[in-house]
Amino acid sequence: MKNSKKFAALFLAAALVTACAGCGNEAGSSEASGSESVSGEVSDSSSEESSEESSASSEESNEESNASSEESNASSEESSAEGSDSSDAESAEGGEASGEVLSYADYMAAEMDTQVVVETYVQAKQSWWEDKATLYTQDQDGGYFVYNMACSEEDYAKLTPGTKIRVTGFKGEWSGEVEIMDATFEFVEGGDTFIAEPKDVTTYLGQDELADYQNQFVSFKGMTVEASEGDAAFLYNWDGSGAEGDDLYFKVSLNGETYTFTVESYLCDSTTEVYTAVKNLKVGDKIDMEGFLYWYEGVNPHITSVKAAE
């Protein structure tokens, strides 16, 4: 009986120990699980905070980078603007230099094919077509032949003798004729007027000094009409190939030297007095003439007036 009770008591004690051990294991497992859960939450929280801090840091870095880039761009734009302003200023100064109005002496001294700017006065209009005008102009010091200058028909009508204009173009030469080509112009508002008196250059014929008066309004005195072909005192065109309305060519002499003068039909057409006067010339006539000292392979004046010598 005792043995049976003892065995029962031992059995109950063993069962109790086993039960306690099981409870301990479950508690430990639960605590461990709880610990792992807390650890995961802490880890997740730490990871999220780290990620947020990293993102914030990245955003701050990007903002700083963008700000730095904007400052750099602004600095670059300011530098570019300053450089552009400086360049524009230099360009403007260069433009002013290239746009400086030249005296006649400076114009004559300028190299060929360089830009020139002159203020001059219309003396006569030779022609206009396709918005281009050709003029004889002059100031108090010398003459300028302006060839194919950009000009509307309306403005061409305003270019009356004596009108002051500012001409910008390129100095050029064609067969000895010095001229201003590819030009533009503007009226000089409030400018004075000037019409040149003819300069007597008769004594300069055959001399180098005659070229100093190129394109000026000049006169020739007491010259003798010579035969141009056969008994004819003039020709239509330089070789006689023309007809009424074309240029008139005639020859005159002085001191044994003969020169060819021209009535330019664009300048003085067949309705003008000078055109009729030249057609009525006779070989041997002594005449006085006025006109513009044009040049073509030597002196070739464009005559605007012919009268019997005084």
Side-chain angles (χ1 to χ4, degrees):
M1 185 68 151
K2 288 183 180 177
N3 290 336
S4 177
K5 290 181 179 178
K6 184 176 181 180
F7 177 77
L10 291 171
F11 177 79
L12 290 172
L16 181 59
V17 171
T18 301
C20 289
C23 289
N25 288 341
E26 286 178 2
S29 176
S30 176
E31 288 173 0
S33 176
S35 175
E36 288 176 0
S37 177
V38 171
S39 175
E41 290 174 359
V42 170
S43 176
D44 289 342
S45 175
S46 175
S47 176
E48 287 175 0
E49 291 176 359
S50 175
S51 176
E52 290 174 356
E53 290 175 358
S54 176
S55 177
S57 175
S58 176
E59 288 176 358
E60 290 176 358
S61 176
N62 286 339
E63 289 175 356
E64 291 176 356
S65 176
N66 289 338
S68 176
S69 177
E70 289 174 358
E71 290 176 357
S72 176
N73 288 339
S75 175
S76 177
E77 288 175 358
E78 289 176 359
S79 176
S80 176
E82 291 174 358
S84 177
D85 290 341
S86 175
S87 176
D88 289 344
E90 291 175 1
S91 177
E93 292 174 358
E96 289 175 0
S98 65
E100 180 182 355
V101 176
L102 302 178
S103 67
Y104 180 74
D106 288 339
Y107 164 75
M108 291 303 294
E111 296 291 332
M112 291 296 174
D113 301 320
T114 57
Q115 187 182 64
V116 292
V117 181
V118 300
E119 288 189 352
T120 182
Y121 303 83
V122 177
Q123 301 300 303
K125 299 187 288 188
Q126 177 171 294
S127 62
W128 177 91
W129 69 86
E130 296 182 350
D131 289 333
K132 293 185 183 297
T134 296
L135 311 174
Y136 294 89
T137 73
Q138 190 168 333
D139 61 22
Q140 289 81 354
D141 298 314
Y144 310 87
F145 185 67
V146 184
Y147 180 74
N148 274 3
M149 176 183 74
C151 177
S152 69
E153 188 171 13
E154 180 182 1
D155 281 343
Y156 186 69
K158 299 175 184 177
L159 294 172
T160 54
T163 302
K164 188 175 186 178
I165 57 175
R166 182 178 296 112
V167 178
T168 301
F170 291 87
K171 183 180 178 182
E173 181 178 354
W174 185 74
S175 295
E177 168 66 13
V178 177
E179 56 195 26
I180 300 177
M181 303 183 295
D182 298 326
T184 58
F185 85 100
E186 57 185 298
F187 293 98
V188 178
E189 298 297 334
D192 56 342
T193 60
F194 172 73
I195 295 179
E197 292 295 326
K199 169 70 176 178
D200 187 351
V201 295
T202 309
T203 58
Y204 296 115
L205 280 167
Q207 301 181 31
D208 292 341
E209 288 84 354
L210 184 62
D212 295 339
Y213 300 94
Q214 188 175 138
N215 298 318
Q216 291 189 36
F217 188 51
V218 298
S219 65
F220 303 91
K221 305 288 188 180
M223 301 192 72
T224 302
V225 177
E226 301 291 340
S228 292
E229 186 176 286
D231 293 332
F234 72 95
L235 297 174
Y236 290 110
N237 289 339
W238 66 273
D239 59 354
S241 62
E244 179 73 10
D246 290 328
D247 297 347
L248 299 180
Y249 283 75
F250 62 104
K251 293 181 178 181
V252 291
S253 64
L254 180 72
N255 300 327
E257 297 292 332
T258 299
Y259 308 92
T260 299
F261 287 12
T262 303
V263 175
E264 163 62 58
S265 59
Y266 287 131
L267 178 62
C268 298
D269 64 24
S270 60
T271 67
T272 59
E273 291 183 4
V274 66
Y275 199 96
T276 300
V278 170
K279 286 173 57 179
N280 291 331
L281 288 176
K282 302 292 188 294
V283 175
D285 287 348
K286 287 192 176 294
I287 56 176
D288 294 340
M289 295 164 286
E290 293 177 353
F292 295 96
L293 194 57
Y294 187 77
W295 220 261
Y296 178 75
E297 304 296 343
V299 61
N300 181 218
H302 287 176
I303 298 303
T304 60
S305 173
V306 172
K307 296 179 179 179
E310 296 179 356

